[in-house]
Amino acid sequence: MELTQLTEAIKTGNRKAAGLLTQEAIDAGVEPKAILNSLIEGMDDIGARFQKNEVFVPEMLIAARAMKESMVILEPLLVAAGIRPEFTALIGTVQGDLHDIGKNLVAMMWKGANFNVIDLGTNVPPERFVAAAREHNPQIIGLSALLTTTMPSMKSTIDELKAAGLSNAKIVIGGAPITQAFANQIGADAFAPDAASAVEVARKLVGSQSTAVLA
Amino acid sequence: MELTQLTEAIKTGNRKAAGLLTQEAIDAGVEPKAILNSLIEGMDDIGARFQKNEVFVPEMLIAARAMKESMVILEPLLVAAGIRPEFTALIGTVQGDLHDIGKNLVAMMWKGANFNVIDLGTNVPPERFVAAAREHNPQIIGLSALLTTTMPSMKSTIDELKAAGLSNAKIVIGGAPITQAFANQIGADAFAPDAASAVEVARKLVGSQSTAVLA
Amino acid sequence: MVLGGGLVYPELNFTLPTMFVNGSTMPDVAAQYREMITGALKRASELEVPGLVVEFETLPPMTENPDWGMEIAQILLDELHEASVKHGLKSVFRMTPNDTREMVRPPVMRSGELWDNMIELFDRSAAAGAELLSIESVGGKEVNDEALQSCDIGQVIFALSVMGVRDMRFLWTHIAEIAERNHVHAAGDTACGFANTAMVLAEQKLIPRVFAAVVRSVSAVRSLVAYECGAVGPGKDCGYENVILKAITGFPMAMEGKTAACAHLSPVGNVAAAACDTWSNESVQNVKLLGGMAPTCYMEQLAYDVRLFNEANADGPEAAAMLKKWLVRSDIGLDPQALILAPASAVKIAESIVSAPNHYRAAVAAGMTALNLITDAYNDGSLKVAPREVCWLDTIKEALEELPEDESTFIASMMDAVNTTTFRPQDYDLT
Amino acid sequence: MVLGGGLVYPELNFTLPTMFVNGSTMPDVAAQYREMITGALKRASELEVPGLVVEFETLPPMTENPDWGMEIAQILLDELHEASVKHGLKSVFRMTPNDTREMVRPPVMRSGELWDNMIELFDRSAAAGAELLSIESVGGKEVNDEALQSCDIGQVIFALSVMGVRDMRFLWTHIAEIAERNHVHAAGDTACGFANTAMVLAEQKLIPRVFAAVVRSVSAVRSLVAYECGAVGPGKDCGYENVILKAITGFPMAMEGKTAACAHLSPVGNVAAAACDTWSNESVQNVKLLGGMAPTCYMEQLAYDVRLFNEANADGPEAAAMLKKWLVRSDIGLDPQALILAPASAVKIAESIVSAPNHYRAAVAAGMTALNLITDAYNDGSLKVAPREVCWLDTIKEALEELPEDESTFIASMMDAVNTTTFRPQDYDLT
Ligand SMILES: [Zn+2]
Ligand SMILES: [Zn+2]
Ligand SMILES: [Zn+2]
């Protein structure tokens, strides 16, 4: 069977078609890895168009939902074959700060880039970052803040992560008042000026070769 | 004789009268210290009016010039009596910066407050501050900068002064881009937001009791 | 000082640079606010502003700890008093406690320690002399955040006209009572966390501008509730929907535009000025610019903006109308939100709101009116719409048309559609 | 892009935050400028400005090391080119080498390494595509600094109309030659180090505003020399005297006002806009504001200011005149400098300058005309003058009246009066 139809279903966010075509492919005996790649190709396409400002977040979201529909069916086969996301990312808005959206967009973008994303929510104290990092062993930890008065919480969080010996995870920070200079100052590994660039930044940090490993 | 006339001559910046009345007082056998105090009283009055924005720099300047006219006559007697300015202040615009006026105004204000002021000019490298501090043993060192790109020279200067063991002089910084936060950051002892406040700041630093020891 | 009496006043707001707010930093925090207010008031006096509104929008720890919030409020009130005595500077103080109820998730909206402390801060600041009480209330944001990302106008309408309206009715009844008891004014709210979030996402090209414009129009229905509960304006600066509320209520409104670029970029820099009674910079951190501390620099910019508005007003209604025409025309051809915030559009949206039988239908009507204004202007060539956005005109229209007539049917369908774990239905009378 | 053709363009300038400029920091310096220009151009494109002037005013080390200056200039030129190709953004690049001749005291004005490097930077940047050449030249500042502090108008006139004029004649002959050879424009100079210093000192209440206003008027005689030597405008933004020069030359002028509060406070925030062909923010550091990096925020503010000007202009000369009337009226009753920079005043000052037999007499005439305008307005109640300043009206008048008719007599008396150790008389043909 032709997987291009499945890729197209992801690109256009056709959830129903995505599910049906995935099942069809499995039934036709197509390799799980090949099916996954066709999904990735679809996400790759929409992601590139998003980066070029040709489509918006909702289009990204419906593509991601279509992908999810496929993955529900595909995942057990991938697990059985030992195929899993290469990288894990932890993300949260730091203590004292309630801002959601920027953090959510980055999480969505990272999921789209085939990161296993664990979202700790908002107002996350340093100790919860530390505990979650111990549990999930992430390669990337993303910290978000929108208030000048919660920016110092980023530093506390980084300090506690380092003190806990969790310094092999790369830390990337972002949010309206954040700058590269601040990132340098508090010992973050990187600064992402916006959601779209967060993927590039994260990939660079983990040294991922793929320009678009999406899943 | 009445010294109030001399005080008045200083206040109004009447240079000629200041000189004549000083000589008269000396001839009449008035104590040099008493004459000095009458001058100080005049400068004190004009200084207070300047702080209240009632008079301008030029009025301060002509009062200072009248005072100088008196001092030319009075100084030998003061020296003979062992009466000299209590404090010495060094001042200069830091390396790379050519801005004069702010620094000059502070120098003028400090002179008015009876500091012995040594003005190193503009574009002063750290080593010249160090050499001058060794020579003059100031209680106060004033650093001025008007460019964001010469502010780091303030830090270099402070670092070199400290490295040279000259850290008993109190360092005060100022200039358009300077803030208290920057002063703290580079280890300055104080920040003077403008020329008028520079006197208060300097007096506080040297722990001078006098609210207006002017000469 | 009469707000809304024809003269436009600057309204200044400022905030801390990067620093913690806690017990040990409170002396520094206080010093920062003292520095900001003294610098700004000095400049306002020098420029002889006809009067000034100073807004204190607290940071979360200052609402959680009313003593801290009051310490800063008192510093500001004292400095305003001193500037009045020393320099004859007339001023009004607006107190805007940060809505901290969402510090826990799902938020507890009507009780608990967060609620108690917030109400305490309103009460104590009103007693201390805060003449205007405002808030950027957040009820409904639990659903709206997600709705914006998926550009789901139905869910936005649920968040704003069902959840938002119900929360504001509860909250503003309390604020109005506090204002009355303390003989001060309940001023107004803002759809900041809803429509400004949409606007900023659109500026970042993350969602369509046409969608953000429709959200703005819908948001008016929610912000209107403050006035239904007794608020009298001026509505809070960042509520760009204030122009619509002014058309409905006639109350004076704070507005912000180009001179709030320090706080966020916007496509409505000039048009927003066309209906302002106070003109604001939204918020600027206390950082150093070459000209002075940023709050002082922005005080100067507001003062000159306001001088211009008042000079035109001084030449009579025709002159004032001419300046407004230029301010409006400068923006409305380039952005759909600018178009729907032009006073003429605002009147049409206001009409559609007041003719509706309930808040829900008002929200749908406001959205549809905005969408029609945008579509008509696009079709007649007077409004640019980016090619990638054009399809959204139909998408939003269809979504609006599919919404049921009946509010309870709508609520039932939305309670199925949205993520109900993000909020407490009982806090919105939705159980 | 036609400057002076009726459409007003924004003119943006930006500078580094706190950092060293040296060989080892040049990569960071370059990154800063790249960040500033890309952010600003992105916003300018989004707001669809009709065109843009970007000024690069170098910092001293970049004039001393032309390679560094050129590295940054090339980054800016490349980004302007890219924005033009990608987004159709029209732009003009103004190169303003910092006048480094005063790095040694007394300054060597006409030769030496500092001079050579400065001229090299002009030449190379013109060859690279800098269409406008400008400078804030400093000849005469050696005397003017002291003259301002003592408010000695005779010495100010000596500094400006003798020293300044002679230095500018020498310098601008070179710049005009470079411009011609490279087919770019000698744009113009500014009395920044003279009249803006006076204005800022007056804002700080250190010298009288009336004195600063007279200094401004006198400074026009000096800045005019650039045009006498072949400059064609637009005169540099911070030259508030440009309005007088425009009345004389008819050339387009850059102006700055309220939206330059980031760089310095001023009493002429609106009136300065009444004669602008480009509208500038003077200079803003690359610091972060909540809305974005400060250069981006100021780009937005300029864009909206300019939209308003152009909307009024689009309605024809009467409409444009009405907006100008408001801009002027907003400021001229409150500050003497605002009064003398109103276009109507500027014409009178311009007339007194062009009727004078030489630069010296022109300076005296300009000062007297300004003083009379101020005195008349004070007397008829249309201008506020602070009580402590009133006596200065007579003081300055007497000082002006006492100045000799004959230039050589004046020069001889001034060479006795001023501190001649601060400058090299031979650099001013004064030996
Ligand atoms: Zn807001
Ligand atoms: Zn606000
Ligand atoms: Zn300048």
Side-chain angles (χ1 to χ4, degrees):
Chain A
M1 75 152 285
E2 279 286 351
L3 286 171
T4 50
Q5 270 182 290
L6 180 52
T7 300
E8 196 58 31
I10 300 299
K11 276 178 5 186
T12 56
N14 190 333
R15 200 160 149 181
K16 212 167 151 188
L20 290 173
L21 290 163
T22 303
Q23 191 57 56
E24 244 176 66
I26 292 169
D27 296 347
V30 183
E31 285 270 309
K33 178 109 198 207
I35 303 174
L36 178 62
N37 281 338
S38 73
L39 303 179
I40 289 174
E41 204 183 318
M43 285 303 289
D44 189 9
D45 178 83
I46 191 93
R49 290 175 61 208
F50 178 68
Q51 291 238 9
K52 282 187 278 179
N53 293 322
E54 289 171 10
V55 296
F56 296 103
V57 170
E59 282 104 331
M60 277 294 293
L61 273 177
I62 57 166
R65 277 179 207 149
M67 168 116 186
K68 207 171 174 187
E69 191 81 18
S70 295
M71 287 299 283
V72 169
I73 308 168
L74 192 60
E75 200 136 43
L77 288 105
L78 291 171
V79 171
I83 302 165
R84 39 173 42 253
E86 202 177 345
F87 304 111
T88 295
L90 212 61
I91 192 166
T93 304
V94 295
Q95 187 160 41
D97 205 312
L98 304 172
H99 291 88
D100 254 333
I101 291 191
K103 183 260 302 166
N104 290 349
L105 289 173
V106 172
M108 176 194 78
M109 296 301 293
W110 281 353
K111 277 179 198 158
N114 197 28
F115 284 73
N116 172 35
V117 177
I118 292 132
D119 185 345
L120 301 179
T122 64
N123 193 14
V124 181
E127 55 272 24
R128 272 192 54 215
F129 276 105
V130 169
R134 284 224 172 91
E135 182 185 343
H136 298 286
N137 237 317
Q139 284 75 36
I140 295 281
I141 301 177
L143 309 181
S144 168
L146 219 86
L147 298 174
T148 50
T149 48
T150 52
M151 288 165 67
S153 293
M154 288 181 155
K155 181 166 162 34
S156 322
T157 304
I158 293 175
D159 290 349
E160 293 209 18
L161 284 166
K162 288 186 176 167
L166 293 159
S167 48
N168 57 330
K170 302 288 184 184
I171 297 168
V172 50
I173 67 172
I178 309 299
T179 60
Q180 182 63 57
F182 182 72
N184 299 343
Q185 188 189 315
I186 65 168
D189 296 293
F191 157 62
D194 50 52
S197 68
V199 171
E200 262 178 77
V201 169
R203 279 194 182 136
K204 240 190 192 160
L205 285 177
V206 296
S208 163
Q209 297 307 309
S210 35
T211 52
V213 188
L214 299 151
Chain B
M1 75 151 285
E2 279 286 355
L3 285 171
T4 51
Q5 270 182 289
L6 180 53
T7 299
E8 194 59 30
I10 301 298
K11 276 175 14 181
T12 56
N14 190 335
R15 199 162 149 178
K16 216 169 150 187
L20 290 173
L21 290 164
T22 303
Q23 191 57 58
E24 244 177 66
I26 292 169
D27 295 346
V30 181
E31 285 269 313
K33 179 109 198 207
I35 303 176
L36 177 62
N37 280 338
S38 73
L39 303 178
I40 288 175
E41 204 184 317
M43 285 302 291
D44 191 9
D45 178 84
I46 190 92
R49 291 176 60 208
F50 178 68
Q51 290 237 10
K52 281 188 277 179
N53 292 323
E54 289 172 12
V55 297
F56 296 104
V57 170
E59 281 105 331
M60 276 295 292
L61 272 178
I62 58 165
R65 276 179 207 149
M67 167 118 187
K68 208 172 173 185
E69 191 82 14
S70 296
M71 288 298 284
V72 169
I73 308 168
L74 191 61
E75 198 135 46
L77 289 105
L78 291 171
V79 170
I83 302 166
R84 39 173 45 255
E86 202 178 345
F87 303 112
T88 295
L90 211 63
I91 192 166
T93 305
V94 295
Q95 186 161 42
D97 206 311
L98 305 172
H99 292 88
D100 255 331
I101 291 190
K103 184 260 300 164
N104 290 348
L105 289 174
V106 172
M108 177 194 77
M109 296 300 294
W110 282 352
K111 277 179 198 160
N114 197 30
F115 285 73
N116 172 34
V117 177
I118 290 130
D119 184 344
L120 301 178
T122 64
N123 193 15
V124 181
E127 53 273 22
R128 274 192 54 216
F129 276 106
V130 169
R134 285 223 172 91
E135 186 185 339
H136 299 286
N137 237 316
Q139 284 76 34
I140 295 281
I141 301 177
L143 309 181
S144 168
L146 220 86
L147 298 174
T148 50
T149 48
T150 52
M151 288 165 68
S153 293
M154 288 182 153
K155 179 164 165 35
S156 321
T157 305
I158 292 174
D159 290 348
E160 295 208 16
L161 283 165
K162 289 187 175 165
L166 293 159
S167 48
N168 57 330
K170 301 288 184 185
I171 296 167
V172 49
I173 67 172
I178 309 300
T179 59
Q180 181 65 56
F182 182 72
N184 299 344
Q185 189 189 316
I186 65 169
D189 296 293
F191 157 63
D194 51 50
S197 68
V199 172
E200 263 178 77
V201 169
R203 280 194 182 133
K204 239 190 195 160
L205 286 177
V206 297
S208 163
Q209 297 306 310
S210 34
T211 52
V213 188
L214 298 153
Chain C
M1 234 177 108
V2 180
L3 299 174
L7 215 53
V8 179
Y9 296 96
E11 176 159 354
L12 188 72
N13 185 345
F14 35 67
T15 192
L16 294 172
T18 306
M19 65 187 297
F20 267 133
V21 177
N22 57 39
S24 68
T25 63
M26 272 306 290
D28 294 341
V29 168
Q32 288 277 344
Y33 277 93
R34 199 180 297 278
E35 179 182 60
M36 291 191 276
I37 189 73
T38 51
L41 292 182
K42 180 165 175 285
R43 196 59 191 154
S45 299
E46 286 164 359
L47 292 176
E48 304 186 33
V49 299
L52 174 66
V53 180
V54 169
E55 180 188 22
F56 172 36
E57 198 170 335
T58 71
L59 289 154
M62 300 168 186
T63 309
E64 291 179 85
N65 302 275
D67 286 349
W68 299 352
M70 282 310 299
E71 181 182 341
I72 305 303
Q74 199 56 60
I75 287 171
L76 300 177
L77 281 162
D78 289 348
E79 294 294 335
L80 289 174
H81 179 72
E82 191 173 323
S84 149
V85 171
K86 272 201 186 161
H87 307 291
L89 180 66
K90 286 184 275 187
S91 60
V92 164
F93 183 66
R94 184 198 293 267
M95 183 75 182
T96 306
N98 177 273
D99 191 345
T100 44
R101 292 175 295 170
E102 54 172 345
M103 291 296 286
V104 292
R105 300 287 171 94
V108 180
M109 302 303 281
R110 300 185 173 186
S111 61
E113 203 186 339
L114 291 166
W115 165 267
D116 290 343
N117 286 331
M118 185 173 87
I119 289 298
E120 179 186 333
L121 185 58
F122 270 114
D123 210 349
R124 288 173 61 186
S125 58
E131 290 167 75
L132 304 175
L133 302 183
S134 280
I135 188 168
E136 302 198 345
S137 69
V138 297
K141 216 162 139 286
E142 308 95 306
V143 164
N144 195 72
D145 274 3
E146 285 244 9
L148 290 184
Q149 290 167 67
S150 50
C151 292
D152 186 319
I153 194 65
Q155 293 187 16
V156 166
I157 287 174
F158 180 69
L160 287 165
S161 76
V162 177
M163 295 176 70
V165 162
R166 289 164 185 218
D167 179 56
M168 279 192 59
R169 213 184 274 137
F170 182 84
L171 173 63
W172 276 92
T173 302
H174 282 80
I175 297 173
E177 184 276 321
I178 290 170
E180 200 184 347
R181 185 155 37 77
N182 290 283
H183 308 291
V184 301
H185 302 293
D189 206 304
T190 159
C192 188
F194 306 83
N196 290 3
T197 299
M199 186 169 77
V200 167
L201 290 174
E203 282 304 298
Q204 294 171 357
K205 302 192 176 75
L206 296 173
I207 65 172
R209 287 164 182 271
V210 295
F211 187 79
V214 174
V215 172
R216 173 71 62 195
S217 185
V218 169
S219 80
V221 175
R222 174 195 158 282
S223 297
L224 180 61
V225 175
Y227 306 94
E228 294 169 352
C229 294
V232 295
K236 204 179 129 40
D237 55 358
C238 61
Y240 289 90
E241 68 278 12
N242 281 346
V243 56
I244 301 166
L245 304 181
K246 187 172 183 172
I248 296 174
T249 66
F251 288 135
M253 293 292 155
M255 295 295 288
E256 64 186 42
K258 65 180 171 190
T259 315
C262 51
H264 62 86
L265 306 177
S266 94
V268 295
N270 280 331
V271 67
C276 67
D277 296 283
T278 73
W279 180 241
S280 156
N281 71 319
E282 158 109 57
S283 192
V284 67
Q285 300 121 289
N286 195 32
V287 296
K288 180 80 188 203
L289 300 177
L290 296 169
M293 298 310 288
T296 300
C297 298
Y298 275 84
M299 181 70 249
E300 169 154 328
Q301 294 183 60
L302 292 176
Y304 282 111
D305 286 346
V306 163
R307 278 191 193 176
L308 175 62
F309 302 155
N310 287 330
E311 286 299 337
N313 288 342
D315 275 356
E318 267 182 59
M322 188 166 292
L323 180 61
K324 280 174 189 171
K325 180 182 74 177
W326 298 329
L327 288 167
V328 168
R329 211 172 56 192
S330 111
D331 298 351
I332 59 169
L334 298 171
D335 182 86
Q337 182 140 196
L339 175 77
I340 67 122
L341 292 180
S345 307
V347 167
K348 289 185 187 143
I349 295 168
E351 283 167 356
S352 70
I353 289 174
V354 295
S355 338
N358 56 37
H359 288 100
Y360 161 59
R361 289 314 303 172
V364 176
M368 195 57 99
T369 305
L371 192 70
N372 289 338
L373 286 164
I374 294 166
T375 307
D376 291 351
Y378 170 66
N379 287 336
D380 73 19
S382 63
L383 172 69
K384 281 198 196 178
V385 175
R388 66 181 178 280
E389 296 213 353
V390 174
C391 63
W392 281 92
L393 294 172
D394 281 339
T395 305
I396 301 168
K397 188 169 194 181
E398 282 161 26
L400 283 171
E401 284 171 347
E402 275 170 21
L403 295 174
E405 200 61 33
D406 174 54
E407 187 175 15
S408 54
T409 314
F410 172 70
I411 292 174
S413 78
M414 281 299 146
M415 287 296 282
D416 278 345
V418 305
N419 181 353
T420 52
T421 67
T422 61
F423 63 98
R424 298 179 3 129
Q426 67 269 36
D427 282 359
Y428 297 95
D429 312 316
L430 287 170
T431 43
Chain D
M1 233 176 109
V2 180
L3 300 173
L7 215 54
V8 179
Y9 296 96
E11 176 159 356
L12 187 73
N13 186 346
F14 36 66
T15 192
L16 294 172
T18 306
M19 66 186 295
F20 268 132
V21 178
N22 57 39
S24 69
T25 63
M26 272 306 291
D28 294 340
V29 168
Q32 289 277 344
Y33 276 93
R34 198 180 298 277
E35 180 182 58
M36 291 191 275
I37 189 73
T38 50
L41 292 181
K42 179 165 176 284
R43 195 60 190 152
S45 299
E46 286 165 359
L47 292 176
E48 304 187 33
V49 299
L52 174 66
V53 179
V54 169
E55 180 188 25
F56 173 36
E57 198 171 337
T58 71
L59 290 153
M62 300 168 186
T63 309
E64 290 180 85
N65 302 276
D67 285 350
W68 298 353
M70 283 309 300
E71 182 182 341
I72 305 303
Q74 199 58 59
I75 287 171
L76 300 177
L77 281 162
D78 289 350
E79 295 293 335
L80 289 174
H81 179 72
E82 192 173 324
S84 149
V85 171
K86 271 201 186 159
H87 307 291
L89 180 65
K90 286 185 276 186
S91 60
V92 165
F93 183 65
R94 184 197 294 266
M95 183 75 182
T96 305
N98 177 272
D99 190 346
T100 45
R101 293 174 295 168
E102 54 172 346
M103 291 294 287
V104 292
R105 300 288 172 92
V108 180
M109 302 302 282
R110 300 185 172 184
S111 61
E113 203 185 338
L114 291 166
W115 166 267
D116 291 344
N117 285 331
M118 185 172 87
I119 289 297
E120 180 186 332
L121 185 57
F122 269 115
D123 209 350
R124 287 172 62 184
S125 58
E131 290 167 75
L132 304 175
L133 302 182
S134 279
I135 188 168
E136 302 198 347
S137 69
V138 296
K141 214 161 140 284
E142 308 95 306
V143 164
N144 195 73
D145 273 4
E146 286 244 9
L148 290 184
Q149 290 167 65
S150 49
C151 292
D152 186 318
I153 193 65
Q155 293 188 14
V156 166
I157 287 174
F158 179 69
L160 287 165
S161 76
V162 177
M163 295 177 69
V165 162
R166 289 165 187 217
D167 179 56
M168 280 193 57
R169 211 184 275 136
F170 181 84
L171 173 63
W172 276 93
T173 303
H174 281 80
I175 297 173
E177 184 276 322
I178 290 168
E180 200 185 346
R181 185 156 37 76
N182 290 286
H183 309 291
V184 300
H185 302 293
D189 207 304
T190 158
C192 187
F194 306 84
N196 289 3
T197 300
M199 185 169 80
V200 167
L201 290 174
E203 283 303 302
Q204 295 170 357
K205 303 193 176 71
L206 296 172
I207 65 172
R209 287 164 184 270
V210 295
F211 187 79
V214 173
V215 172
R216 173 70 63 194
S217 185
V218 169
S219 80
V221 175
R222 176 195 157 281
S223 298
L224 179 62
V225 175
Y227 306 94
E228 293 169 354
C229 294
V232 296
K236 205 180 128 38
D237 54 0
C238 60
Y240 289 90
E241 67 278 12
N242 282 345
V243 56
I244 302 166
L245 304 180
K246 188 171 182 173
I248 297 174
T249 66
F251 289 135
M253 293 292 156
M255 295 295 288
E256 63 186 41
K258 64 181 170 189
T259 315
C262 51
H264 62 85
L265 305 177
S266 95
V268 296
N270 279 331
V271 66
C276 68
D277 296 284
T278 73
W279 180 242
S280 156
N281 70 318
E282 159 111 53
S283 191
V284 67
Q285 298 122 286
N286 195 33
V287 296
K288 181 80 190 206
L289 300 177
L290 296 169
M293 298 310 288
T296 300
C297 297
Y298 275 83
M299 181 71 250
E300 169 155 327
Q301 293 183 61
L302 291 175
Y304 282 111
D305 285 346
V306 162
R307 277 191 193 175
L308 175 62
F309 303 154
N310 287 330
E311 286 300 336
N313 289 342
D315 274 357
E318 267 182 59
M322 186 165 293
L323 179 62
K324 280 175 190 171
K325 180 182 75 177
W326 298 328
L327 290 167
V328 168
R329 209 172 57 192
S330 109
D331 299 352
I332 60 169
L334 297 171
D335 183 86
Q337 182 140 195
L339 175 78
I340 68 125
L341 292 180
S345 307
V347 167
K348 288 184 188 144
I349 295 167
E351 282 167 357
S352 70
I353 289 174
V354 296
S355 341
N358 58 38
H359 289 99
Y360 161 58
R361 290 311 305 172
V364 177
M368 195 58 99
T369 304
L371 193 69
N372 289 338
L373 286 163
I374 294 166
T375 308
D376 291 351
Y378 170 65
N379 286 334
D380 73 19
S382 63
L383 171 69
K384 281 197 196 178
V385 175
R388 66 181 181 279
E389 296 213 353
V390 173
C391 63
W392 281 91
L393 293 172
D394 281 340
T395 305
I396 302 168
K397 186 167 196 187
E398 282 162 25
L400 283 171
E401 283 171 347
E402 273 170 21
L403 295 174
E405 198 60 33
D406 176 51
E407 187 175 15
S408 53
T409 314
F410 173 69
I411 292 173
S413 79
M414 282 298 145
M415 287 298 281
D416 278 346
V418 305
N419 181 353
T420 52
T421 66
T422 61
F423 63 98
R424 299 180 2 130
Q426 68 269 34
D427 282 1
Y428 297 97
D429 312 318
L430 285 171
T431 43

